[in-house]
Amino acid sequence: MPEIKLEHVTKRWGKFYAVDDLDLVIQDNAFVTLLGPSGCGKTTTLRMIAGLETPTSGRITIGDTVVFDSEAGINMPANKRKVGFLFQNYALYPHLTVMQNILFPLENLKGKDRPSRQEMRRRAMETAQLVQIEELLERKPKELSGGQQQRVAIARALVKMPRVLLLDEPLSNLDARLRLQTREEIVKIQKRTGITTLFVTHDQEEAMSISDKIVVMRDGVLMQQGAPQQVYDNPANLFVAKFLGTPPINVFEGEVKNGTLLLNGQPALPVPGAPDGTVFAGVRPEGFEPDRKGPVTCGLNRVEVLGRDTSIVCTHPACQTATLRAIIRSEQEVDAKQETVRFSLRPEKVFLFSRESEARIPFDTTPRPRA
Ligand code: ATP
């Protein structure tokens, strides 16, 4: 299945840039997720790939085919791009059976693209088997569960044997349990077919759990892309650091002096290599290590036992939010009756950012032998 490539793709409405100079490669057979807050340009990007929206400028290639090039004047119509598309509010035709719903896109094909009746049925059956709904073919949509309806919708998107599959928040109208189940289904179907898939969501947990690669966008601009764990462990800027992770990262207003991070004027962590100046310091919840003699003292609000982990809700004068959350292993003890709790910080879970640009400021996290 082909690769999708976007080069300098921009979509402007008047002076407003919905997508700004986007460069992106989606490798063949990959499951890639576009992730970002509402309005950041995810749907617009998908629609431009599908051919439902015309970019203001740039170039889009699917496999070896240039489907859009503003300079060369190429704009292949949507129905020629061989793209399967599943929208947020997909609707099955209520008066048609599952089989008829799946056949529908094939019956709409014209001329030489239109397969024979027999071929249509063969393909519909094959697709139904792929998403495991072959038992339901004679039912009407209202006789199906939400997850089954979803699978029919996916079958309908796949039956034309698209080269790529574009999914725009396809799980947003399902309840939590079904959502989890269906997204696993989607991943399985993707692995089985190897179809290059671009998935859109604003739900970072969903993106992290199902993607080979995530692409984080903000205000039409690509912020960072990479494997989920890699982006989580190495956020390029404060926005990405805050967007990924539950509970979210804790952000402090700090200062670097002589290679040491100061929080509220107190030394909190050696940060060799970071230049002097004020910074934002982000500490992942799992970056706090209870330590009786630790350098970071927090006011203790409450201790929540979550089974495997324990969540400590506390306060710190340099923290941007009223409370911060540390997650520790449940065997580590914290006395809930105390007024304060002390921590040391795990350097690989601490990120420094510029106060001006919010870009990451690197420091050396390799442990040094004690002098
Ligand atoms: P959501 O998660 O809410 O679906 P999104 O990231 O998919 O958001 P888009 O739908 O791509 O965002 O929209 C990007 C921006 O472009 C938004 O600010 C939106 O208001 C704007 N926009 C979208 N379509 C048009 C249009 N036809 N005319 C003008 N502005 C538009």
Side-chain angles (χ1 to χ4, degrees), residues 55 57-60 66-76 81:
S57 58
R59 186 176 146 105
I60 302 175
V66 178
V67 296
F68 181 84
D69 188 327
S70 54
E71 280 178 17
I74 297 170
N75 190 9
M76 185 184 269
R81 293 192 186 188

Side-chain angles (χ1 to χ4, degrees), residues 13 16 18-19 36-45 53 88 168-169 200 202:
W13 275 287
F16 176 75
V19 174
S38 180
C40 73
K42 307 180 295 289
T43 300
T44 305
T45 302
E53 202 74 74
Q88 190 164 5
D168 190 358
E169 306 232 17
V200 159
H202 62 267

Side-chain angles (χ1 to χ4, degrees), residues 278-315:
T278 57
V279 291
F280 289 122
V283 183
R284 293 272 183 220
E286 65 275 22
F288 295 89
E289 198 74 56
D291 178 349
R292 252 173 253 261
K293 296 202 171 101
V296 180
T297 305
C298 296
L300 181 57
N301 279 15
R302 61 182 187 278
V303 176
E304 297 170 355
V305 180
L306 308 169
R308 191 166 46 96
D309 300 322
T310 299
S311 173
I312 302 173
V313 183
C314 44
T315 58

Side-chain angles (χ1 to χ4, degrees), residues 239-285:
F239 175 81
V240 174
K242 280 168 133 177
F243 202 76
L244 297 184
T246 14
I249 196 161
N250 303 291
V251 182
F252 297 84
E253 289 173 9
E255 189 183 358
V256 173
K257 227 179 201 168
N258 301 325
T260 299
L261 170 68
L262 308 178
L263 296 181
N264 200 30
Q266 301 297 313
L269 183 74
V271 287
D276 284 4
T278 57
V279 291
F280 289 122
V283 183
R284 293 272 183 220

Side-chain angles (χ1 to χ4, degrees), residues 5 29 49-50 113 121 157 196 238 270 301 316 352:
K5 197 166 169 191
N29 304 339
I49 297 170
D113 290 337
R121 285 198 76 82
T196 308
L238 184 61
N301 279 15
H316 188 280
L352 304 182

Side-chain angles (χ1 to χ4, degrees), residues 210-223:
I210 60 177
S211 321
D212 297 323
K213 178 168 125 175
I214 55 174
V215 176
V216 186
M217 290 179 71
R218 177 195 198 181
D219 298 337
V221 178
L222 191 155
M223 292 275 107

